[in-house]
Structure formats: C-alpha cells, structure tokens
Amino acid sequence: MLMYHTGQRSTAILVSVTCLFLAGIAAAGGAPSWLEGYESRRDILLNQYAAGGSADLYNDLARLALGMDPSGAGIDNAIGMLNARQDTADFKLPGLMRLLYRHAGDPLLSADVKNRTRQAILAFKYWPDEPGADSMCTWTENHQILFSAGAYLAGQLYPDEIFTNSGRTGAQMMAVHKPRILRWLDLRYRTGFSEWLSNVYYNEDLPPLLALADFAQDADLAQRAKMVIDLLLLDMALNSHRGIFGSTHGRSYENSKKWPQNESTSDIEWLMFDQATLHYGNMSATCFALSESYLMPEVIYEIANDTERLENITRQRMGLRIAPDNAGGLSFDLHNYEDGMVWLSLEAYCHPLVFPTFVEMLDAYNWWGNDFFAPFETFRPLIELWRDEGTLSVEIAKFEYDLTRNVRDEVNIYTYRTPDYMLSSAQNYRPGYGGDQHSIWQATLGGNAVCFTTHPAQYAGDTPNYWTGAGWLPKVGQYKNVAIILHDASDEGRGGLYFPVTLDFTHAWLPREEFDEVVEQDGWVFARHDNAYLALRSQNPYFWQLDAAGDPYMEMVVPGRKNVYICELGRPETHGTFGQFVQSVSNADLAFGTLAVAYRSPSQGALGFSWNGALMRNGSPVSVSGYGRYDTPYGSASFPANAIQVEYNGHRLSLDWQDQTRETGPVAVPAAAPAALCLVAAALAASAIRRLKTSVALRLCKEGENEPATLQR
C-alpha cells in the first residue's frame, strides 16, 4: 500500500512501503513503466474532480481521498435515489460501497450521513424478485452487475443484519447473488459483451467490478473481476484511435457519437492510457484512481499506445446467438427466470424464443407497471389472449423485425487502425431489423472528426431517434480501410407495430468544421483531418442540412429509403497527397445497382457487395462472420474463450478462466532493481510530500488521530 502522510517520519514510511509495493510488483513480473505517469495523472484527476461543483457522489469520494470535506450533496443525492428506488440508483451502489468500506471511521463524515447511508443500503431493492413496485431498469447487462455486486458487497458488510425489503440477512444476500455475479463474469469473459464496445456502458460496468476487486473477501470473485476488467480495458485499447473509442458500439447515444471527445470513456483512457481528454467527473475513472487492488497489466497500456503500427486489424466476436445451442448453455424454460434475466441482458424481450418467458416475468416481477414496459401494458389484453391460446411465439414472430429492435445478439466486429485513422464496423449485423441504440459503423480521423450513417427512425423522442440507433439497420461489409453500407429502410413487409412508420431518408454525420479541408467532386465528399483522408459516396443525391436549428454543414441528407454508401479512408503513405487521394478515388470504376455496388478501390482492388450477396474482393468472398473471441496482432483466442493471452513489446498478459490464473510478464528484473525501485519510490515520495505541503493529499482515515491523513493506494 502507498500511504501519504506529512512529516519526516511519514516520508520514511512512504519510501519503505513503496519499496515493498514496487519490489512485490517486480517479483511478480516488473514494475509497470507507466506507473509514475499514472500516479501523476491520478493526482491531477482527483484534484480536478474534487474541484468540480457538481453534486456527484464520485466527486465527493475524490474530495474525501484528498482530505477535504465532501460537499455532502452528492452523497445525499445518492441516498435519496436509493430510498426513492429511482432508475439508475444502482449507479451509486459502487460509490456507496467504497464510502462504507473505506470511510466508515472517517471524521469528515458525520454520524448522520453514515447512518442514513447504512439504512438506505439495508432497505434497497436489489433484484426484481424482491417485493415492491418500481420503474428501475434492472435487467440490462450493466445493471445486472451493478445490482448483484452491490447486493453481495452490502451483505458482506452487514452479514447478520436484515435487509428489510427482501427479509434476508446479509449472509443470505451473499449466497443469493454470488451465483449471479459468477454467471455474469463467466459470460462476459468467454463470450464478451452484448453492449459491445459501448462508450457509455463500459463506464457503468467497471465500478462494480472494481468494487469486487477491492472489497470482495472471496478470492475467486475478486480474481475473476480483475480478469474481466483486463478484458474491458483491452477492448478499449484495441478499438480506440488516440484516445477516441471510435469503434462500432452495441449501445451509444447521440452526443457520444457526434462529439466523441465527450464520450464517458474519455476520462478512463486519459487516466489509464495517457490519451484522450480529462473532464470534471467520471465514476469509472474515480474508482480506478482509488482502487487499492487493481493494477492494469503493462501490455494493455502498450497496445493502447501502439499508435504507429502501419496496419492494425482486430477481429472480435461477442455476445450470444439466441438459439437452443447458444454458447452460454441457456434454456428457454418458461419459468427459469435466472436464464430469462440473462436473455434480457441482450434485451431479447420480444424474440419468439424468449417472449413466453418474458411475459411470465412481467407477472412474477410486477413489471406491467414499470415505466420501461409501458408499451406492453398497452397491449396487455392482446398479449394475455395469445398466452391463453398458446400462440405467443407465433404471433410475436409476425412483428420480429420491429419488436426485436433492442436485441443485441452475437456480433462480429472488425476494426482497422493506422497511425492516422480508424475504421470499425459490426459486419453484416442484423440487416433490415429495427435498431435501438446500436452504432453499426464509424470512421474516426482524430478528435471530433468522425463520420457515420444512419436511417433515422423519428425526428425526436426516445431511442431510436434522429441520430441514436436506427429505424432499420443497414448491412455493412468492411475490408481494411473500405466500408460499404447498404441501407434498406423500407417499412413495408416488416410488421411495424412499435415503429409502423419511419423517416424516408438516410443521412451521414460529417461535421465539416472538424476537418481541415472538404472537397465535393463527382458525387463524392472528401475530407481531410491532419494526415487522415476520408471519401464518402452516396448512390442517391445528397444535400447539406443548412437549418441553423439543426446541424448546418454537418449533416448530409439523402432522400430515399434504399441507398448505398461507400467510405474509403487514406493517408499519405498509401494514397499520396490529399489531392492525389481525391483524384484516384473519384476516377475509380463504380457501378450501382439496387442495394448493390461494384467499386474498384484504389487501395483494395475490386470490391462488390449486395443485400443478398457476400462481400467480395477481387472475385473472392471476404469473411464477415465466425470470428474468434479475439484475433489481433497481439494474440488470438477461440470463441467461446477459456485461455486468452496477448503479448507486445516484451510484455504479456495470460488469463485462464478455468484455472483462475492471471499472469503478467515476463519482464527481466536485474539484480540491482530493488535499489533502483527504491530510488523511484523516493522520488515519488518526495513529489507526494511536496504536493502535501500545498494541501493536496491522498488521505488514509486513521482511527483516533486528528492529524491530516491520506488514502492509500
């Protein structure tokens, strides 16, 4: 542990303890070279969050860590959300656990605050099978680990007390929720995330996992949580371009897509990878900064910073097929609500195989009155008639294209990264089905210079709307730096019930002000950002949206429900100057058909793609499915995975799920390393003491002492 105190005695303690900490790391495989930079970034982050004015629980935790009085408003707000059973109250559980586990004896917290926090934790509803009506979302992927980890850690903290809503003791809460946590961890490790590469919800997954890593006394749970944290960070490292998590996303929202420098994963990448932009508050970044147990493997940092590799291709498969032979071994038993909850983590409510179980869960969990399920309440008489007739699956299948728009089942992800740009897509993912919050493809050239297309479902309202999700999903095929996007946005024949009518155009986000040059020539739009080039071609004529109330000169509107887009990216090393790129692409052979195209790419040769055909390159089909769990320049793993190993730049991470092993290295440590590490520790200590003398401290609450103390790492 690293403990920061003022005075000469504390300096000696700091140096000796830091030596032990770093020497232990060295014995296990070497001190991460990024650690010193991380410590500095951590201090900056905590101070910036503590200075923020928002009434946020996680900013209050930063203030406590620095020996400052918390504003109290953030803690009060969190307690109030739990007591009201307000949606997203579970986002506060990891922070409240950290408050209770680390600050129970903190004199900066009043006895009243501690007691109210305890009472709120004991009275909260932790799973939909507990009594009481509410409109909390408990079933999606991120919420399930937030609720179950919160319940387990609360039970561990209060093993003999009664949790008043469920009537269970804390020990019983642990016994009930441990299997749920283990199943969640198992599926995410072996098959990945249904909310794949989400620049929103990875930020919600990490705090409960870090809480388990820090506070779970069960070594198995803590170890497996660390392994899944490793993979979340590895996903971000593989699919980011210089701090922008600009990949395809299972779930993303308008602001994060259009302005990715604002995405909620930005602060994580700033802290862990030394990239991206630091903002004024982030729950995951706070939890990383305060974690005493999790240390990111060096190889993940190295992969994130492998930015000069000329060509970096990552293929990944994530999620479950909704079929009897699924990789999770899940059933469709009508009354197996535990399996039902897993299917709902894919939001497969209206899939014909899941719908009968879901209807039973609406009854069992008192969900008819949950605001999220209001559309089902509207059709309740019809649904109950189908149930009485035994035709639920048959009838719901008639509306499958529309009503399964929330589903996030198995996906094959392709990300192509160069020093100057990144292109990423979900290959051939559910084409023609409705979309909700999916982001199927994106070109990232740096900062907010991004491009993507969607078919908007509606101008405003809940998702899917104008920029989030899709009325109907496209069919995308990508080979290296070229993506072909086919949009068939016809409403006819798709059984629209939830969205019987969608908008009759597609559009592209291309914010001209974020690019250095924009050229329009021969139907193509060309854009340059630094040394990255983009070419976008629409089959149908386009126009720029000029309304000042909208996104003037940022949105290309393309009338018509059927359209083909081509996106090719380039850079000087492969395409010459920007002018040469413009000429070579605009002169390329190009022929469109109905939802079909043949294009001779200057960089990739003859490409062909159609709605009913395969992606072809130079006459041969390109594989767009059946990917492994990971297939990267740094290592591969089969799907579903057990052993996952990545290596780069002399560093290694080796994970084995069955054996519960997590190994980093190998890193040769010279015999003189302990002395060298102590010198590094002394330098870190001196720096810390200087900061302390200016009243910036990481504090460790010490019972019975009044002198300033600092939180350990």
Side-chain angles (χ1 to χ4, degrees):
M1 296 179 179
L2 296 179
M3 298 184 292
Y4 298 90
H5 302 279
T6 57
Q8 293 180 345
R9 172 177 170 273
S10 298
T11 303
I13 294 173
L14 171 62
V15 173
S16 61
V17 174
T18 305
C19 285
L20 292 173
F21 176 73
L22 293 177
I25 294 173
S33 62
W34 55 271
L35 185 60
E36 183 173 0
Y38 170 84
E39 298 286 349
S40 175
R41 292 193 301 278
R42 183 189 65 183
D43 291 349
I44 293 170
L45 179 145
L46 289 173
N47 278 279
Q48 186 155 310
Y49 286 6
S54 63
D56 180 80
L57 169 64
Y58 293 90
N59 285 1
D60 275 347
L61 287 171
R63 295 181 186 104
L64 284 168
L66 296 172
M68 301 165 55
D69 287 325
S71 70
I75 299 172
D76 287 343
N77 176 61
I79 293 171
M81 290 182 71
L82 264 66
N83 289 336
R85 297 183 183 176
Q86 184 177 332
D87 185 44
T88 71
D90 52 315
F91 289 1
K92 308 301 181 182
L93 287 173
L96 291 174
M97 290 300 104
R98 198 164 290 277
L99 189 77
L100 291 170
Y101 273 89
R102 286 289 177 253
H103 297 278
D106 195 328
L108 289 173
L109 290 178
S110 69
D112 175 65
V113 166
K114 295 171 187 176
N115 184 59
R116 287 190 294 111
T117 303
R118 174 179 168 277
Q119 291 300 324
I121 290 295
L122 290 172
F124 190 53
K125 180 179 179 179
Y126 287 94
W127 205 253
D129 62 358
E130 293 186 12
D134 63 81
S135 286
M136 295 186 292
C137 178
T138 55
W139 51 86
T140 59
E141 184 173 67
N142 68 95
H143 286 292
Q144 289 198 32
I145 190 61
L146 281 156
F147 277 101
S148 57
Y152 180 88
L153 292 173
Q156 179 181 271
L157 192 63
Y158 305 118
D160 300 321
E161 299 207 39
I162 298 297
F163 284 69
T164 55
N165 190 64
S166 66
R168 298 182 178 118
T169 65
Q172 290 171 329
M173 294 288 281
M174 295 172 67
V176 167
H177 287 277
K178 180 179 177 179
R180 292 168 175 163
I181 296 170
L182 286 173
R183 173 180 262 193
W184 192 97
L185 294 171
D186 178 75
L187 286 173
R188 271 74 222 175
Y189 180 94
R190 294 192 305 110
T191 67
F193 288 77
S194 74
E195 295 168 338
W196 75 81
L197 305 182
S198 176
N199 58 354
V200 179
Y201 290 104
Y202 274 21
N203 182 47
E204 320 301 346
D205 295 323
L206 285 163
L209 295 177
L210 286 161
L212 289 169
D214 280 343
F215 307 127
Q217 295 169 3
D218 185 310
D220 179 26
L221 276 184
Q223 177 80 328
R224 292 186 187 277
K226 290 177 185 178
M227 294 166 76
V228 175
I229 295 169
D230 289 341
L231 296 187
L232 280 162
L233 291 173
L234 179 62
D235 284 351
M236 294 172 64
L238 290 167
N239 294 281
S240 294
H241 174 65
R242 300 186 185 276
I244 300 297
F245 197 10
S247 62
T248 172
H249 306 295
R251 295 183 71 185
S252 188
Y253 296 102
E254 177 176 350
N255 185 61
S256 297
K257 291 172 62 177
K258 291 164 63 175
W259 310 109
Q261 287 182 316
N262 296 331
E263 60 193 1
S264 63
T265 49
S266 180
D267 289 39
I268 304 169
E269 298 213 14
W270 184 89
L271 177 65
M272 307 305 288
F273 301 159
D274 195 17
Q275 298 181 5
T277 304
L278 179 64
H279 299 97
Y280 285 89
N282 178 273
M283 56 194 294
S284 290
T286 302
C287 293
F288 272 120
L290 299 180
S291 176
E292 300 178 8
S293 302
Y294 182 79
L295 187 69
M296 181 177 69
E298 172 81 0
V299 68
I300 297 177
Y301 177 87
E302 295 291 341
I303 290 171
N305 284 279
D306 184 21
T307 56
E308 298 305 317
R309 184 183 292 262
L310 297 181
E311 188 175 70
N312 194 329
I313 301 174
T314 292
R315 299 177 182 87
Q316 291 179 252
R317 186 177 359 163
M318 292 205 202
L320 296 171
R321 290 188 307 108
I322 306 175
D325 60 343
N326 62 87
L330 304 176
S331 76
F332 298 98
D333 187 300
L334 194 64
H335 298 292
N336 188 336
Y337 300 156
E338 292 298 317
D339 280 3
M341 284 292 285
V342 179
W343 289 125
L344 295 196
S345 73
L346 281 64
E347 296 198 69
Y349 324 104
C350 292
H351 191 282
L353 291 175
V354 178
F355 190 59
T357 303
F358 172 63
V359 173
E360 296 301 309
M361 295 170 77
L362 288 172
D363 287 339
Y365 292 163
N366 199 21
W367 273 347
W368 292 106
N370 187 299
D371 290 346
F372 286 100
F373 295 139
F376 296 100
E377 174 65 22
T378 301
F379 291 96
R380 185 173 182 176
L382 181 61
I383 292 170
E384 292 186 336
L385 174 64
W386 291 345
R387 178 166 57 181
D388 292 342
E389 295 176 345
T391 60
L392 280 170
S393 293
V394 173
E395 295 296 339
I396 206 68
K398 298 175 183 178
F399 307 97
E400 185 175 354
Y401 278 93
D402 178 30
L403 295 186
T404 61
R405 65 178 51 252
N406 301 82
V407 165
R408 294 178 306 279
D409 55 2
E410 185 179 279
V411 61
N412 290 274
I413 299 162
Y414 187 99
T415 298
Y416 182 81
R417 187 172 75 187
T418 75
D420 296 305
Y421 62 77
M422 187 175 79
L423 184 64
S424 180
S425 66
Q427 300 271 54
N428 193 23
Y429 183 75
R430 294 176 57 82
Y433 283 82
D436 182 45
Q437 295 164 4
H438 311 75
S439 180
I440 299 300
W441 78 277
Q442 180 170 308
T444 303
L445 283 71
N448 289 324
V450 299
C451 180
F452 56 86
T453 63
T454 77
H455 167 234
Q458 56 184 339
Y459 285 104
D462 293 335
T463 62
N465 51 43
Y466 199 65
W467 285 113
T468 300
W472 306 110
L473 291 169
K475 180 178 181 180
V476 178
Q478 179 184 340
Y479 183 77
K480 294 190 176 182
N481 60 313
V482 181
I484 300 175
I485 304 97
L486 312 176
H487 283 277
D488 183 356
S490 304
D491 288 335
E492 294 79 11
R494 289 185 175 153
L497 184 65
Y498 186 47
F499 271 90
V501 179
T502 60
L503 301 183
D504 61 356
F505 60 91
T506 62
H507 60 172
W509 175 258
L510 204 165
R512 296 172 64 124
E513 65 183 22
E514 299 295 330
F515 292 86
D516 301 314
E517 291 183 70
V518 176
V519 173
E520 298 176 71
Q521 181 171 309
D522 299 327
W524 289 87
V525 177
F526 298 94
R528 180 183 66 83
H529 177 81
D530 292 335
N531 286 323
Y533 311 150
L534 177 142
L536 185 68
R537 180 68 153 87
S538 167
Q539 176 182 12
N540 297 336
Y542 68 89
F543 63 87
W544 291 98
Q545 194 282 116
L546 303 179
D547 187 350
D551 297 303
Y553 291 104
M554 299 183 190
E555 177 191 5
M556 289 171 52
V557 180
V558 183
R561 291 186 176 272
K562 298 180 188 291
N563 193 37
V564 177
Y565 293 91
I566 302 168
C567 179
E568 177 157 353
L569 302 185
R571 54 194 299 264
E573 286 74 9
T574 55
H575 288 80
T577 66
F578 182 56
Q580 290 171 324
F581 174 75
V582 170
Q583 290 306 314
S584 64
V585 172
S586 58
N587 291 335
D589 292 340
L590 176 62
F592 290 109
T594 301
L595 294 173
V597 65
Y599 168 59
R600 185 168 292 277
S601 161
S603 59
Q604 301 306 332
L607 299 174
F609 200 37
S610 65
W611 192 260
N612 296 315
L615 176 64
M616 306 293 290
R617 178 177 180 263
N618 295 329
S620 299
V622 175
S623 174
V624 297
S625 63
Y627 293 169
R629 178 73 173 87
Y630 289 97
D631 182 4
T632 80
Y634 316 101
S636 300
S638 60
F639 182 96
N642 176 52
I644 298 174
Q645 180 169 308
V646 289
E647 296 183 10
Y648 178 59
N649 205 21
H651 302 281
R652 176 178 65 95
L653 171 64
S654 182
L655 305 173
D656 190 296
W657 194 247
Q658 182 174 345
D659 294 341
Q660 303 174 39
T661 56
R662 176 178 181 257
E663 300 175 355
T664 60
V667 177
V669 181
L677 289 172
C678 284
L679 290 176
V680 173
L684 289 173
S687 175
I689 296 305
R690 285 195 298 271
R691 291 193 296 272
L692 281 166
K693 289 181 178 179
T694 59
S695 299
V696 178
L698 296 179
R699 56 182 306 280
L700 170 65
C701 299
K702 297 169 60 180
E703 296 183 6
E705 295 188 17
N706 295 320
E707 65 181 84
T710 68
L711 185 64
Q712 57 197 323
R713 179 178 183 283

